[in-house]
Amino acid sequence: MVIAQKTDTPSRYTPEPSVLTALRSPRILTREVLAGLVVALALIPEAISFSIIAGVDPRLGLFSSFIMAVSIAFLGGRPAMITAATGAIALVIAPVARDYGVDYLIATVILGGVFQLALGAIGVAKLMRFIPRSVMVGFVNALAILIFTAQLPHLIGVPWLVYPLVIAGILIMVVMPRLTRVVPAPLVAIVLITIATVAVALNVPTVGDQGDLPRSLPELLIPNVPLTWETFTIIAPYALAMALVGLLESLMTAKLVDDITDTHSRKTRESLGQGAANILSGLFGGMGGCAMIGQTMINVKASGARTRISTFLAGVFLLILVVALGDVVAIIPMAALVAVMVMVSVATFDWHSIRWSTLQRMPKSETTVMVATVAVVVITHNLAIGVIVGVVVAMIAFARRVAHFATVERRVTTDEDGEQTAHYRVNGELFFASSNDLTTQFEYSDDPARVVIDMAGSHVWDASTVAALDAITTKYERHGKQATIEGMNEASALLHGRLAGNLGGGH
């Protein structure tokens, strides 16, 4: 008798290390705490910048980042991923604040969160499996370019002292990991550059120059908008766009972190968590957001964080820094944060994908998809649009490639009575792209009176193919000849039997 034993093999969704493991290990806990601090410092100028893009007070962006980071730490499906106010969401909802005011913007954020809950519940996360690798590579490369270009305003038209500070910060982050990884290199760079700037009293742009920091905690806020159908029609289009953009960016970022950490995440839980986080953000007067790829890369790649502790503490530290230590944070030079983001962009870019040897081996269609994704993202500054275009280009390329897989072979036999029969053997997958040319592969005028079309080597996938087969048999009838279709597999025969003669395309 075989006795089944329960193994201790962890689920593929079990994070390694877990939160409990991190809490029991001083080394891991230190790494997570310091990673959260680095991310919080990097979040401040970005949240302020995104608030300006959305046309609202910087407090909305900062409060949104705090609420979303803390809530997603508990509700999200991807440990160590950072969620906060983002540029993509700011661009989508900016017209609402401009045309209708802040209350309507907050109502839009809350409704967007509701839409995300609905989309998560119906399983929209499962659509991630249809995003090809070439689109993912394009997404990553475009992201690296956007992170880098976002730093250019802080490098153009600034005092010349900014440049040596940025170079010094980059050198610290290159050398530091070779000496020790106990303390995240970005944190060391920020602290040393800040100390040097203050000690020598250098006049360079600082975090405080980006906008005023809040002095109080966020409070529960119900938007002052009429609960009418008119209000819904105003905010619903923006809320739906926000929900789709936010989910797409968050799920793509989660997949990227999965690849970096060799772990799996719960995409449906992440979708639901994003919705709940946006609702909470709106209720506390925030501008909403989604997963932040740049800060996530700082957390996961640059700082080595792996648990929800770093995400939670990023939000907590953010609030402490801007409310309690606002005066200290305000003196951090922007050059230090720019250096961090430049290093993140270099680490994020998939350099292997643009090597000449890789480009030579890779099919041209794959390279085209990657380039199209990068180009659209860089032009529109919208990752969601770039991914959608990339997927469409990949679908077209796939359809064109598969369309050539269908072949038709012809032979003519003569029986004992001298009667001839034309035998056609159709091979390959038949769908709208490959079946369009099917009708041109037959010799209607030259074939004998009897024609047999063998479908054993093919599969009928759609109504377009059934219509093409109807057209073929109809053309033979017009020439006074009989065409018989045989050899279909069960699924193809079922579809053909249901639709043949009922599509109106046989004439």
Side-chain angles (χ1 to χ4, degrees):
M1 182 176 65
V2 178
I3 300 176
Q5 292 183 335
K6 183 179 179 181
T7 65
D8 293 329
T9 304
S11 164
R12 65 191 185 122
Y13 293 108
T14 302
E16 289 293 335
S18 65
V19 171
L20 286 176
T21 302
L23 291 173
R24 291 169 184 157
S25 169
R27 181 182 61 84
I28 298 176
L29 184 59
T30 301
R31 183 185 68 193
E32 298 294 316
V33 171
L34 294 177
L37 179 57
V38 174
V39 171
L41 289 169
L43 276 175
I44 295 170
E46 297 240 340
I48 295 172
S49 300
F50 298 148
S51 300
I52 294 169
I53 291 173
V56 297
D57 190 288
R59 287 179 301 175
L60 271 71
L62 291 165
F63 285 162
S64 184
S65 297
F66 159 66
I67 295 294
M68 296 198 73
V70 170
S71 58
I72 208 70
F74 294 96
L75 304 173
R78 174 63 262 177
M81 191 167 77
I82 304 299
T83 292
T86 60
I89 299 298
L91 287 170
V92 170
I93 61 177
V96 182
R98 183 183 65 242
D99 299 336
Y100 302 100
V102 173
D103 282 310
Y104 276 84
L105 178 137
I106 293 172
T108 302
V109 171
I110 294 172
L111 182 59
V114 173
F115 283 154
Q116 286 181 327
L117 286 177
L119 290 169
I122 63 176
V124 71
K126 294 177 182 176
L127 296 176
M128 283 299 296
R129 71 185 68 178
F130 297 110
I131 297 180
R133 180 188 176 278
S134 50
V135 174
M136 193 69 192
V137 173
F139 169 83
V140 169
N141 290 347
L143 194 56
I145 294 171
L146 286 186
I147 292 173
F148 180 79
T149 55
Q151 311 315 309
L152 294 181
H154 303 295
L155 295 171
I156 299 174
V158 295
W160 69 270
L161 288 170
V162 168
Y163 303 114
L165 289 176
V166 172
I167 293 171
I170 291 173
L171 289 175
I172 290 170
M173 284 181 282
V174 170
V175 174
M176 187 69 187
R178 299 178 183 179
L179 302 177
T180 178
R181 291 183 178 271
V182 174
V183 182
L187 179 59
V188 175
I190 292 171
V191 171
L192 292 181
I193 298 298
T194 302
I195 291 173
T197 304
V198 173
V200 188
L202 297 178
N203 185 20
V204 293
T206 63
V207 171
D209 297 331
Q210 304 300 304
D212 294 331
L213 300 178
R215 298 292 181 180
S216 60
L217 297 174
E219 298 175 354
L220 189 64
L221 174 67
I222 303 299
N224 183 23
V225 297
L227 299 177
T228 62
W229 176 252
E230 182 184 0
T231 301
F232 180 80
T233 58
I234 290 172
I235 67 175
Y238 298 102
L240 182 59
M242 170 191 162
L244 293 173
V245 169
L247 281 184
L248 186 55
E249 285 208 30
S250 298
L251 294 175
M252 290 289 284
T253 305
K255 190 173 188 300
L256 181 60
V257 178
D258 289 351
D259 294 339
I260 292 171
T261 60
D262 290 326
T263 56
H264 294 268
S265 57
R266 292 181 169 90
K267 304 296 191 302
T268 297
R269 177 176 171 178
E270 183 62 38
S271 302
L272 297 171
Q274 290 289 329
N278 271 309
I279 292 172
L280 290 171
S281 170
L283 290 175
F284 281 91
M287 55 175 277
C290 62
M292 297 190 75
I293 185 70
Q295 275 62 29
T296 298
M297 290 300 99
I298 292 176
N299 198 42
V300 175
K301 260 195 168 182
S303 303
R306 290 294 182 271
T307 75
R308 298 176 186 274
I309 296 173
S310 58
T311 307
F312 172 75
L313 290 179
V316 173
F317 282 139
L318 174 63
L319 188 66
I320 294 173
L321 288 170
V322 299
V323 175
L325 302 174
D327 294 336
V328 176
V329 172
I331 66 174
I332 296 175
M334 285 302 298
L337 298 175
V338 168
V340 172
M341 298 309 289
V342 168
M343 285 298 291
V344 168
S345 68
V346 172
T348 301
F349 197 91
D350 186 351
W351 297 100
H352 179 268
S353 67
I354 60 171
R355 288 180 187 168
W356 180 245
S357 58
T358 304
L359 295 174
Q360 283 183 313
R361 287 195 303 268
M362 197 67 68
K364 290 182 180 178
S365 59
E366 298 283 324
T367 303
T368 301
V369 170
M370 180 191 74
V371 172
T373 304
V374 172
V376 173
V377 171
V378 172
I379 292 170
T380 64
H381 283 240
N382 191 314
L383 291 164
I385 294 175
V387 170
I388 291 170
V389 170
V391 171
V392 170
V393 173
M395 288 169 60
I396 294 171
F398 175 76
R400 284 174 58 87
R401 193 160 61 244
V402 175
H404 300 297
F405 287 170
T407 60
V408 178
E409 300 171 2
R410 176 181 180 267
R411 63 186 177 87
V412 178
T413 59
T414 305
D415 61 16
E416 296 176 354
D417 299 327
E419 291 186 8
Q420 290 186 320
T421 302
H423 295 269
Y424 287 90
R425 180 175 176 82
V426 182
N427 299 302
E429 304 300 317
L430 301 176
F431 64 111
F432 62 90
S434 59
S435 61
N436 281 338
D437 296 330
L438 193 62
T439 55
T440 65
Q441 305 295 313
F442 293 82
E443 306 289 343
Y444 303 103
S445 301
D446 298 336
D447 278 341
R450 188 168 183 272
V451 178
V452 176
I453 303 173
D454 184 5
M455 304 287 290
S458 62
H459 188 99
V460 177
W461 286 103
D462 60 7
S464 296
T465 305
V466 176
L469 293 174
D470 280 354
I472 291 168
T473 56
T474 301
K475 284 187 178 184
Y476 274 117
E477 287 174 4
R478 287 177 182 168
H479 285 81
K481 300 170 184 179
Q482 180 187 5
T484 305
I485 299 175
E486 62 181 34
M488 282 188 180
N489 59 44
E490 185 177 352
S492 298
L494 188 64
L495 180 65
H496 183 262
R498 189 167 69 247
L499 298 179
N502 298 312
L503 296 172
H507 49 79

